[in-house]
Amino acid sequence: MRLCAWYLYGEKHRGYALNPVANFHLQNGSVLWRINWMGDSSPRGIGASCGMMVNYRYFLEETASNSALYLASKQVRASEQVLALVAQFQQNSKL
């Protein structure tokens, strides 16, 4: 889960999220909200994402500002749960 959080939050291509689905939602003003272990246990889900499923949350009053922040300064808005996983990854990573 820590690696997944880092992949979605920290891995970038030209400054934007490397994952195309994450990039889509973040460009549209969402918050990287929750990572669900075994959220997709179908054979396709296991093969594509090790069963992980991600929730993006849209706070309607914040979508325009979140989108502008991401597009202008490439900052990803994320929940405390995701940020805690990112911090754990960074503490334990040798990358």
Side-chain angles (χ1 to χ4, degrees), residues 27-93:
Q27 283 183 18
N28 286 303
S30 73
V31 175
L32 180 53
W33 191 250
R34 184 172 51 211
I35 299 172
N36 305 289
W37 174 255
M38 295 306 286
D40 185 355
S41 59
S42 70
R44 183 170 185 248
I46 297 294
S49 63
C50 299
M52 304 259 190
M53 186 175 281
V54 180
N55 295 115
Y56 295 91
R57 187 164 181 189
Y58 288 85
F59 295 97
L60 295 181
E61 65 279 356
E62 297 174 10
T63 55
S65 61
N66 289 348
S67 177
L69 182 70
Y70 181 69
L71 293 171
S73 61
K74 301 169 177 87
Q75 291 182 331
V76 174
R77 292 277 326 272
S79 70
E80 290 298 319
Q81 184 237 21
V82 172
L83 293 175
L85 289 167
V86 167
Q88 290 171 17
F89 172 82
Q90 290 174 320
Q91 288 173 348
N92 297 312
S93 174

Side-chain angles (χ1 to χ4, degrees), residues 8-30:
L8 295 169
Y9 182 84
E11 290 298 319
K12 308 287 181 160
H13 175 71
R14 296 184 181 161
Y16 297 106
L18 183 61
N19 181 273
V21 174
N23 192 50
F24 170 82
H25 286 289
L26 295 168
Q27 283 183 18
N28 286 303
S30 73

